[in-house]
Amino acid sequence: MSVETEPTETTNTNRTLSFLSGQLSPVEVAKIERELASLWTLTSSEHDAGDGSAKPAYVIKSCALNFVLLAKVSPANSEQSLDNLLAEITVRHPMRAILSMVEEQDDATETRIEAWVSARCHFLPGRLDKQMCCEQITVSWQGQKFKPESLASVITPLVIPDLPSWLFLPGSTISLESLSPFLPYFDHVLLDSRSATFSAEKLGQFQFIQEAAGKVVFIDLAWLILQPWRRALAFAFDEKDVSLSKECLSTLDTITIRCGRDGGLLQSLLLTSWLTRRLAFQFQKLTETEVGYKVEFSGKFAPLTVQIEKGDGSARTGISSVDVSFHQLGCCKLEESLKVSFSQGALSVCYKDKCEFVELPYCPELLTGTTSECGMSELVDDALEHTQQDAYYLEAVSGLLEMFQ
Amino acid sequence: MTGSISMAVENSANPLLAGLEPERQVEPLSFVIFGANGDLTKRKLIPAVYALFMQGLLPRSFVLLGTSRTHFSHEEFRNAMKEALLKFASDLPFTEESWQRFASSLYYQAADSGTETGFEDIKKTLFALDEKHGTHGRHVFYLSTSPSLYLPIIKGLGKSGLVVKTRANEPAYPRVVIEKPFGHDLASSLNLDEQIHEVLREHQIYRIDHYLGKETVQNIMVFRFANAIFEPLWNRNHIDHIQVTNAETLGVEGRGAYYEEAGALRDMMQNHLMQLMALVLMEPPIAMDAESTRDEKNKVLKSLRPLTSATIDENAVRGQYGPGFILGSQVPGYRQEPSVADSSQTATFAALRLSVDNWRWSGVPIYVRTGKRLAKSITEVAVVFKDPPHRLFDNPDKVGQTHIPGNVLVMQIQPDEGISLKFATKQPGPNTTVRWLNMDFKYGSAFGTRTPTAYERLILDCLHGDPSLFARSDFVEASWQYIQPIIEHWENNALDFPNYAAGSWGPAASDALLARTGHTWRRL
């Protein structure tokens, strides 16, 4: 039996300051809520620092959603990098952030779960006397083989009822299929299917999305990234913009999508799938080429070939350009091709000597010119605005499955 | 095109557009500011347009042409605007690179808007910029000038051909934005409208009331009509009375000459507070389009019981501040302010009790007050609910003889924008003691994002051609119609001013106004 001693005012103040400064305070897994409540109580009571120094700034606790970030520890997903990501997101989205790190260790003999609590605080604009804080719970799961039920039993009771709940799976370190114990507690699953290859795991992931889409809303960063490309292509065939009429969509002949060597393939496949499904082309054949894929479709009047070429674009990651050429059919006697390309923070849509632009969101990554995609925190920011299941994403997923099954 | 090819695309619409949100994109255009060297341009307009630019909400082909009588080169104008931006919008992200990109859209043309040559100069520059930037002759004119220049400028624009009347079904270019005041009284407002309508149609006129651009004001409609729990209570059966307060600690701040002509009724009541009140009292519009909402707001004004010379003293209170203390500093009285007459009869405080003669609000007093040099700066709408019909608990609802209202829903417009609901709860302990607590929602802490300024929202809406948040001529007219008898009555009946000390909550008559119906102003 342990004997609890009454903490002194000084130790309480130190705990408060440590908590508010973002330092992790270890807590018993069974007492996470209790410890958080105690720390917030301490922050709301005005404590003198004890040494005559200034009192801590007035703290407002704020929470508009639950956000669980679940990932396996890997070089790409270090705890520090994910922690930093949460730090950026919480500035714009007050939330209960739960960072759940899974570490599989071959030599582990037992499962070990540890937890810490901390606050994410920032000063309100123009107010150095008021801080807005979110709470973060960090849970570490270590064991030989990840047991989702085990971690879910810790995480899901921490999801605050009645607030929107998001489960974020950065990278593809944890398979969607293994997350059944988590899903009933979440409204949205935020995933990032971007990759430089298409593997069997990806196939399983998209199959799962198709099956589970009625139960939870899937938001895929790979799909959100495509929105300006989709917009650019759609507007290209809108007479108001580039002067090509939508009838020309029936005369597509060849599409060449160029993407970065280090990423962009999956996005290119999704774009292909979306475009061909929207235009009612029938999938015929997929061939792996030296540089990517060649996908052949039949159309009502003529075939369509989509070439996906890796490493041939200006960007290291993401799609660099989409070239569209046409058949010479009917009155659409077109010989030139349409080109949509990424440059200087925008997509230019050029046909003949006329170019229009589709603005990309403002983010520092785009200014480097090496990628056509914003950084993770901006993407998650954007994703949190999407709360409905996008039926056109599911349509594209379905097309993708058809190509690879 | 052959018929067979067109059949390949089955839908009549472009199938690639499906699922893409119809992005509201501003068309390429030129935004012309008259009074470009003025305070409003520097403090509000340039920061707002820059903020829109930084959010990617302006089109690539965009021109901002400033004009005033002051002589500036394009570069001098850009430098002056940069200085203003750094001074008045320190919360906006600023980098030299982003400024340079923005500044490349900024131009200046010195012109005397009182002469035909002035307009010819503007026209020449504007057409050259249209050519250079591909803005296709789409022009929006913002009149950031003294109200006395509205008509000369609009007429000059008409005469020079820069402004032409469009048909109702045509795109509303050119557009003209004007700032309040929309007239000095009912007659001048009608005259202004009549003359403007000779040059422009109503859908080309954007009358800015910056209150309508505030997030909290827009939230009134969302709060009322997106939450099913409040609207059933939003009527005379459940609401005891409503208090609208607009209090400022500031005095006239060097604008004595303007304020002498305006006073509290014209400065705040006829425009901002009438708009605010209409949003709180209106019926749900049939749709969220500009005209439906403005129709409903207009109905509220038409339902106000007009005040006559026989009823004004009973329902309206005025005041003028004398010397006093604000936040520990001694401040002069209104009559001691520069450019204010020693015997000024201008009211710096006004409070009204409004009666709304419609089914929903019959018998519910609506109290509205506005004043300068009051104890605190705050703007809020407080909806005070009726007491429970049967008292079960020993509720300490009286301090002395003063009744403490029960449930109060407060929509705070500024500062600390948010909503709070006062409700009763049991104080922990062996006895059933009722304690009143506030459940608070604050914009600043609930959303971690920067709140756009009212001008950002309104300028963007104007560029999109959406007049929802702008005052329509019939609202302005109805508002003047209600206020005009009070103005005339007060002009004809002098009062012994000053009658409240700076730093207080207004004249004693203001408290008496509510006391007559058994109410008190909220302690703010």
Coordinates of all heavy atoms in Angstrom, one line a residue, chain B residues 107-173:
Chain B
Y107 N -1.1 50.3 -57.9 CA -0.7 51.4 -58.8 C -1.4 52.7 -58.2 O -2.3 52.5 -57.3 CB -1.3 51.2 -60.2 CG -0.6 50.1 -60.9 CD1 -1.1 48.8 -60.8 CD2 0.6 50.3 -61.7 CE1 -0.4 47.7 -61.4 CE2 1.2 49.2 -62.3 CZ 0.7 47.9 -62.2 OH 1.4 46.9 -62.8
Y108 N -1.0 53.8 -58.7 CA -1.6 55.0 -58.2 C -1.8 56.1 -59.3 O -1.0 56.1 -60.2 CB -0.6 55.6 -57.1 CG -1.2 56.8 -56.4 CD1 -2.1 56.7 -55.4 CD2 -0.9 58.1 -56.8 CE1 -2.7 57.8 -54.7 CE2 -1.5 59.2 -56.2 CZ -2.4 59.0 -55.1 OH -2.9 60.1 -54.5
Q109 N -2.9 56.8 -59.2 CA -3.1 57.9 -60.1 C -3.6 59.1 -59.3 O -4.7 59.0 -58.7 CB -4.2 57.4 -61.2 CG -4.7 58.5 -62.1 CD -3.5 59.1 -62.9 OE1 -2.9 58.3 -63.7 NE2 -3.3 60.4 -62.8
A110 N -2.8 60.1 -59.3 CA -3.3 61.3 -58.6 C -4.4 61.9 -59.5 O -4.3 62.0 -60.7 CB -2.2 62.3 -58.5
A111 N -5.5 62.3 -58.9 CA -6.6 62.9 -59.6 C -7.5 63.7 -58.7 O -7.7 63.3 -57.6 CB -7.4 61.8 -60.3
D112 N -8.0 64.8 -59.2 CA -9.0 65.6 -58.5 C -10.4 65.1 -58.9 O -10.8 65.3 -60.1 CB -8.8 67.0 -58.9 CG -9.7 67.9 -58.1 OD1 -10.6 67.4 -57.4 OD2 -9.6 69.2 -58.2
S113 N -11.1 64.4 -58.0 CA -12.3 63.9 -58.4 C -13.4 64.9 -58.6 O -14.6 64.6 -58.8 CB -12.8 62.8 -57.4 OG -12.7 63.3 -56.1
G114 N -13.0 66.2 -58.4 CA -14.0 67.2 -58.6 C -14.0 67.8 -60.0 O -14.7 68.6 -60.4
T115 N -13.1 67.2 -60.8 CA -12.9 67.7 -62.2 C -13.1 66.6 -63.2 O -12.8 65.4 -62.9 CB -11.5 68.4 -62.4 OG1 -10.6 67.3 -62.3 CG2 -11.3 69.5 -61.4
E116 N -13.5 67.0 -64.4 CA -13.6 65.9 -65.5 C -12.3 65.4 -65.9 O -12.1 64.2 -66.1 CB -14.3 66.6 -66.7 CG -15.8 66.6 -66.6 CD -16.4 67.1 -67.8 OE1 -15.9 66.9 -68.9 OE2 -17.5 67.8 -67.7
T117 N -11.3 66.3 -65.8 CA -9.9 65.8 -66.2 C -9.4 64.7 -65.2 O -8.8 63.7 -65.6 CB -8.9 67.0 -66.0 OG1 -9.6 68.2 -66.2 CG2 -7.7 66.8 -66.9
G118 N -9.8 64.9 -63.9 CA -9.4 63.9 -63.0 C -9.9 62.5 -63.4 O -9.2 61.5 -63.3
F119 N -11.2 62.4 -63.8 CA -11.8 61.1 -64.2 C -11.2 60.6 -65.5 O -11.0 59.4 -65.6 CB -13.3 61.2 -64.3 CG -13.9 61.3 -62.9 CD1 -14.3 62.5 -62.3 CD2 -14.1 60.1 -62.2 CE1 -14.9 62.5 -61.1 CE2 -14.7 60.1 -60.9 CZ -15.1 61.4 -60.3
E120 N -10.8 61.6 -66.3 CA -10.2 61.1 -67.6 C -8.9 60.5 -67.3 O -8.5 59.5 -67.9 CB -10.0 62.3 -68.6 CG -11.3 62.7 -69.3 CD -12.0 61.5 -69.9 OE1 -11.4 60.7 -70.6 OE2 -13.3 61.4 -69.7
D121 N -8.1 61.1 -66.3 CA -6.8 60.5 -65.9 C -7.0 59.1 -65.4 O -6.2 58.2 -65.7 CB -6.1 61.4 -64.9 CG -5.7 62.8 -65.5 OD1 -5.6 62.9 -66.7 OD2 -5.4 63.7 -64.7
I122 N -8.0 59.0 -64.5 CA -8.2 57.7 -63.9 C -8.6 56.7 -65.0 O -8.1 55.5 -65.0 CB -9.4 57.8 -62.8 CG1 -8.9 58.6 -61.7 CG2 -9.8 56.4 -62.3 CD1 -10.0 59.0 -60.7
K123 N -9.4 57.1 -65.9 CA -9.9 56.2 -66.9 C -8.7 55.7 -67.8 O -8.6 54.5 -68.1 CB -10.9 57.0 -67.8 CG -11.7 56.1 -68.8 CD -12.7 57.0 -69.5 CE -13.4 56.2 -70.6 NZ -14.4 57.1 -71.2
K124 N -7.9 56.7 -68.2 CA -6.7 56.3 -69.0 C -5.8 55.3 -68.3 O -5.5 54.3 -68.9 CB -6.0 57.6 -69.3 CG -5.2 57.6 -70.6 CD -4.8 59.1 -70.9 CE -3.4 59.1 -71.3 NZ -2.8 60.4 -71.5
T125 N -5.5 55.6 -67.1 CA -4.7 54.7 -66.3 C -5.3 53.3 -66.2 O -4.7 52.3 -66.3 CB -4.3 55.3 -64.9 OG1 -3.9 56.6 -65.1 CG2 -3.3 54.4 -64.2
L126 N -6.6 53.3 -65.8 CA -7.3 52.1 -65.6 C -7.4 51.2 -66.8 O -7.1 50.0 -66.8 CB -8.7 52.4 -65.1 CG -9.5 51.4 -64.4 CD1 -8.7 50.7 -63.3 CD2 -10.8 52.0 -63.8
F127 N -7.6 51.8 -68.0 CA -7.7 51.1 -69.2 C -6.3 50.5 -69.6 O -6.3 49.4 -70.1 CB -8.3 51.9 -70.3 CG -9.8 52.1 -70.3 CD1 -10.5 51.7 -69.1 CD2 -10.5 52.7 -71.3 CE1 -11.9 51.9 -69.0 CE2 -11.9 52.9 -71.2 CZ -12.6 52.4 -70.1
A128 N -5.3 51.3 -69.3 CA -4.0 50.8 -69.6 C -3.6 49.6 -68.7 O -3.0 48.6 -69.2 CB -2.9 51.9 -69.4
L129 N -4.1 49.7 -67.5 CA -3.8 48.5 -66.5 C -4.7 47.3 -66.9 O -4.2 46.2 -66.7 CB -4.1 49.0 -65.1 CG -3.1 50.0 -64.5 CD1 -3.6 50.5 -63.2 CD2 -1.7 49.4 -64.3
D130 N -5.9 47.6 -67.4 CA -6.7 46.5 -67.8 C -6.0 45.7 -68.9 O -6.0 44.5 -69.0 CB -8.0 47.0 -68.4 CG -9.1 47.4 -67.3 OD1 -8.9 46.9 -66.2 OD2 -10.0 48.1 -67.6
E131 N -5.4 46.5 -69.8 CA -4.7 45.9 -70.9 C -3.5 45.1 -70.4 O -3.3 43.9 -70.8 CB -4.3 47.0 -71.9 CG -3.7 46.6 -73.2 CD -4.7 46.0 -74.1 OE1 -5.9 46.3 -74.0 OE2 -4.3 45.1 -74.9
K132 N -2.8 45.7 -69.5 CA -1.5 45.1 -69.1 C -1.8 43.8 -68.2 O -1.1 42.8 -68.3 CB -0.8 46.1 -68.2 CG 0.6 45.7 -67.7 CD 1.3 46.7 -66.9 CE 2.5 46.2 -66.2 NZ 3.2 47.2 -65.4
H133 N -2.8 43.9 -67.4 CA -3.1 42.8 -66.5 C -4.2 41.8 -66.9 O -4.5 40.8 -66.2 CB -3.4 43.3 -65.1 CG -2.2 43.9 -64.4 ND1 -1.4 43.1 -63.5 CD2 -1.6 45.1 -64.4 CE1 -0.4 43.9 -63.1 NE2 -0.5 45.1 -63.6
G134 N -4.8 42.1 -68.0 CA -5.9 41.3 -68.4 C -7.1 41.2 -67.5 O -7.6 40.2 -67.2
T135 N -7.5 42.4 -66.9 CA -8.6 42.4 -66.0 C -9.9 42.6 -66.7 O -11.0 42.8 -66.1 CB -8.4 43.5 -64.9 OG1 -7.9 44.7 -65.5 CG2 -7.3 43.0 -63.9
H136 N -9.9 42.7 -68.0 CA -11.1 42.6 -68.9 C -12.1 43.7 -68.6 O -13.3 43.5 -68.7 CB -11.8 41.2 -68.7 CG -10.9 40.1 -69.1 ND1 -10.5 39.8 -70.4 CD2 -10.3 39.2 -68.3 CE1 -9.8 38.8 -70.4 NE2 -9.6 38.3 -69.2
G137 N -11.7 44.8 -68.1 CA -12.6 46.0 -67.9 C -13.5 45.8 -66.7 O -14.5 46.5 -66.6
R138 N -13.2 44.8 -65.8 CA -14.1 44.6 -64.6 C -13.6 45.6 -63.6 O -12.4 45.4 -63.1 CB -14.0 43.2 -64.2 CG -14.5 42.2 -65.2 CD -14.6 40.8 -64.5 NE -14.9 39.8 -65.5 CZ -14.0 39.0 -66.1 NH1 -12.7 39.1 -65.7 NH2 -14.3 38.1 -66.9
H139 N -14.4 46.5 -63.1 CA -14.0 47.5 -62.1 C -14.8 47.5 -60.9 O -16.1 47.4 -61.0 CB -14.0 48.9 -62.8 CG -13.1 49.0 -64.0 ND1 -13.4 49.8 -65.1 CD2 -12.0 48.3 -64.4 CE1 -12.5 49.7 -66.0 NE2 -11.6 48.8 -65.6
V140 N -14.2 47.6 -59.8 CA -14.9 47.8 -58.5 C -14.4 49.1 -57.9 O -13.1 49.2 -57.7 CB -14.7 46.6 -57.5 CG1 -15.4 46.9 -56.2 CG2 -15.3 45.3 -58.1
F141 N -15.2 50.1 -57.6 CA -14.8 51.4 -57.1 C -15.2 51.4 -55.6 O -16.3 51.2 -55.3 CB -15.5 52.5 -57.9 CG -15.1 52.5 -59.3 CD1 -16.0 52.0 -60.3 CD2 -13.9 53.1 -59.8 CE1 -15.6 52.0 -61.6 CE2 -13.6 53.1 -61.1 CZ -14.4 52.5 -62.0
Y142 N -14.2 51.7 -54.8 CA -14.4 51.8 -53.4 C -14.2 53.3 -53.0 O -13.2 53.9 -53.1 CB -13.3 51.0 -52.6 CG -13.7 50.7 -51.2 CD1 -14.0 49.4 -50.8 CD2 -13.8 51.7 -50.2 CE1 -14.3 49.1 -49.5 CE2 -14.2 51.4 -48.9 CZ -14.4 50.1 -48.6 OH -14.7 49.8 -47.3
L143 N -15.3 53.8 -52.4 CA -15.3 55.3 -52.1 C -14.9 55.4 -50.6 O -15.8 55.4 -49.7 CB -16.7 55.9 -52.4 CG -16.9 56.4 -53.8 CD1 -16.5 55.4 -54.8 CD2 -18.3 56.8 -54.0
S144 N -13.6 55.5 -50.4 CA -13.1 55.7 -49.0 C -12.9 57.1 -48.7 O -11.8 57.6 -48.4 CB -11.8 54.8 -48.9 OG -11.2 55.1 -47.7
T145 N -13.9 57.9 -49.0 CA -13.7 59.4 -48.9 C -14.8 60.0 -47.9 O -15.6 59.3 -47.4 CB -14.0 60.0 -50.3 OG1 -15.4 59.7 -50.6 CG2 -13.1 59.4 -51.4
S146 N -14.7 61.3 -47.8 CA -15.7 61.9 -47.0 C -17.1 61.7 -47.7 O -17.2 61.7 -49.0 CB -15.4 63.4 -47.0 OG -16.6 64.2 -46.9
P147 N -18.2 61.5 -47.0 CA -19.5 61.3 -47.6 C -19.9 62.4 -48.5 O -20.6 62.1 -49.5 CB -20.4 61.2 -46.4 CG -19.6 60.9 -45.2 CD -18.2 61.5 -45.5
S148 N -19.4 63.6 -48.3 CA -19.8 64.7 -49.2 C -19.3 64.5 -50.6 O -19.8 65.1 -51.5 CB -19.3 66.0 -48.6 OG -17.9 66.0 -48.6
L149 N -18.3 63.6 -50.8 CA -17.8 63.4 -52.1 C -18.4 62.2 -52.8 O -18.1 61.9 -54.0 CB -16.3 63.1 -52.0 CG -15.4 64.3 -51.5 CD1 -13.9 63.9 -51.4 CD2 -15.5 65.4 -52.6
Y150 N -19.3 61.5 -52.1 CA -19.9 60.3 -52.8 C -20.6 60.7 -54.1 O -20.4 60.1 -55.1 CB -21.0 59.6 -51.9 CG -20.4 58.9 -50.6 CD1 -21.3 58.5 -49.6 CD2 -19.1 58.7 -50.5 CE1 -20.8 57.9 -48.5 CE2 -18.6 58.1 -49.4 CZ -19.5 57.7 -48.4 OH -19.0 57.0 -47.2
L151 N -21.5 61.6 -54.0 CA -22.3 62.0 -55.2 C -21.4 62.6 -56.3 O -21.5 62.1 -57.5 CB -23.4 63.0 -54.9 CG -24.7 62.3 -54.4 CD1 -25.8 63.3 -54.2 CD2 -25.2 61.3 -55.5
P152 N -20.5 63.5 -56.0 CA -19.6 64.0 -57.1 C -18.8 62.9 -57.7 O -18.7 62.9 -59.0 CB -18.7 65.0 -56.4 CG -19.4 65.4 -55.2 CD -20.3 64.3 -54.8
I153 N -18.3 61.9 -56.9 CA -17.5 60.9 -57.5 C -18.4 59.9 -58.4 O -18.0 59.6 -59.5 CB -16.8 60.1 -56.4 CG1 -15.7 60.9 -55.8 CG2 -16.1 58.8 -57.0 CD1 -15.0 60.3 -54.6
I154 N -19.5 59.6 -57.8 CA -20.4 58.6 -58.6 C -20.9 59.3 -59.9 O -20.9 58.7 -61.0 CB -21.6 58.2 -57.7 CG1 -21.1 57.2 -56.6 CG2 -22.6 57.4 -58.5 CD1 -22.1 56.8 -55.6
K155 N -21.2 60.6 -59.8 CA -21.6 61.3 -61.0 C -20.5 61.4 -62.0 O -20.6 61.2 -63.2 CB -22.2 62.7 -60.7 CG -23.6 62.6 -60.1 CD -24.2 63.9 -59.8 CE -25.6 63.8 -59.4 NZ -26.2 65.0 -59.0
G156 N -19.3 61.7 -61.4 CA -18.1 61.8 -62.3 C -17.8 60.4 -63.0 O -17.4 60.4 -64.2
L157 N -18.0 59.4 -62.2 CA -17.8 58.0 -62.8 C -18.8 57.8 -63.9 O -18.4 57.2 -65.0 CB -17.9 56.9 -61.7 CG -16.8 56.8 -60.7 CD1 -17.2 55.9 -59.6 CD2 -15.5 56.3 -61.4
G158 N -20.0 58.2 -63.7 CA -21.0 58.0 -64.7 C -20.7 58.8 -65.9 O -20.8 58.3 -67.1
K159 N -20.4 60.1 -65.7 CA -20.1 61.0 -66.8 C -18.9 60.5 -67.7 O -18.9 60.6 -68.9 CB -19.9 62.4 -66.3 CG -20.3 63.5 -67.2 CD -20.3 64.8 -66.5 CE -20.6 65.9 -67.5 NZ -20.5 67.2 -66.8
S160 N -17.9 60.0 -67.0 CA -16.7 59.6 -67.8 C -16.9 58.2 -68.4 O -16.1 57.8 -69.2 CB -15.6 59.5 -66.8 OG -15.8 58.4 -65.9
G161 N -18.0 57.6 -68.1 CA -18.3 56.2 -68.8 C -17.6 55.1 -68.0 O -17.7 53.9 -68.4
L162 N -17.0 55.4 -66.8 CA -16.4 54.3 -66.1 C -17.5 53.5 -65.4 O -17.2 52.4 -65.0 CB -15.4 54.9 -65.0 CG -14.0 55.3 -65.5 CD1 -13.3 56.2 -64.5 CD2 -13.2 54.1 -65.9
V163 N -18.6 54.1 -65.2 CA -19.7 53.4 -64.5 C -20.9 53.5 -65.4 O -21.3 54.6 -65.9 CB -20.0 54.1 -63.2 CG1 -21.4 53.8 -62.7 CG2 -19.1 53.5 -62.1
V164 N -21.5 52.4 -65.7 CA -22.8 52.3 -66.5 C -23.8 51.5 -65.8 O -23.4 50.5 -65.0 CB -22.6 51.8 -67.9 CG1 -21.8 52.8 -68.8 CG2 -21.8 50.4 -67.8
K165 N -25.0 51.8 -66.0 CA -26.1 51.0 -65.4 C -26.2 49.7 -66.1 O -26.2 49.6 -67.3 CB -27.4 51.7 -65.6 CG -28.0 52.3 -64.3 CD -29.4 52.9 -64.6 CE -29.9 53.6 -63.4 NZ -31.3 54.1 -63.7
T166 N -26.2 48.6 -65.3 CA -26.3 47.3 -65.9 C -27.8 46.8 -65.7 O -28.4 47.2 -64.8 CB -25.3 46.2 -65.4 OG1 -25.6 46.1 -64.0 CG2 -23.9 46.7 -65.6
R167 N -28.1 45.8 -66.5 CA -29.5 45.2 -66.2 C -29.4 44.2 -65.1 O -28.3 43.7 -64.7 CB -29.9 44.4 -67.5 CG -30.2 45.4 -68.6 CD -31.2 44.7 -69.6 NE -31.4 45.6 -70.8 CZ -30.8 45.5 -71.9 NH1 -29.9 44.5 -72.1 NH2 -31.0 46.3 -72.9
A168 N -30.5 43.9 -64.5 CA -30.6 43.1 -63.3 C -30.0 41.7 -63.6 O -29.4 41.1 -62.7 CB -32.0 42.9 -62.8
N169 N -30.1 41.2 -64.8 CA -29.6 39.8 -65.1 C -28.2 39.9 -65.7 O -27.7 38.8 -66.1 CB -30.5 39.1 -66.0 CG -30.8 39.9 -67.3 OD1 -30.3 41.0 -67.5 ND2 -31.5 39.3 -68.3
E170 N -27.5 41.0 -65.7 CA -26.2 41.1 -66.2 C -25.2 41.1 -65.0 O -25.5 41.5 -63.9 CB -26.0 42.4 -67.0 CG -26.6 42.4 -68.4 CD -26.5 43.8 -69.0 OE1 -26.1 44.8 -68.4 OE2 -26.8 43.8 -70.2
P171 N -23.9 40.7 -65.3 CA -23.0 40.7 -64.2 C -22.8 42.2 -63.7 O -22.8 43.1 -64.5 CB -21.6 40.3 -64.9 CG -22.1 39.6 -66.2 CD -23.4 40.2 -66.6
A172 N -22.8 42.3 -62.4 CA -22.9 43.6 -61.8 C -21.5 44.3 -61.8 O -21.0 44.6 -60.7 CB -23.4 43.5 -60.4
Y173 N -20.9 44.5 -62.9 CA -19.8 45.4 -63.1 C -20.2 46.6 -63.9 O -20.9 46.4 -64.9 CB -18.6 44.7 -63.8 CG -18.0 43.6 -63.1 CD1 -18.2 42.2 -63.4 CD2 -17.1 43.8 -62.0 CE1 -17.6 41.2 -62.7 CE2 -16.5 42.8 -61.3 CZ -16.7 41.5 -61.7 OH -16.1 40.5 -61.0

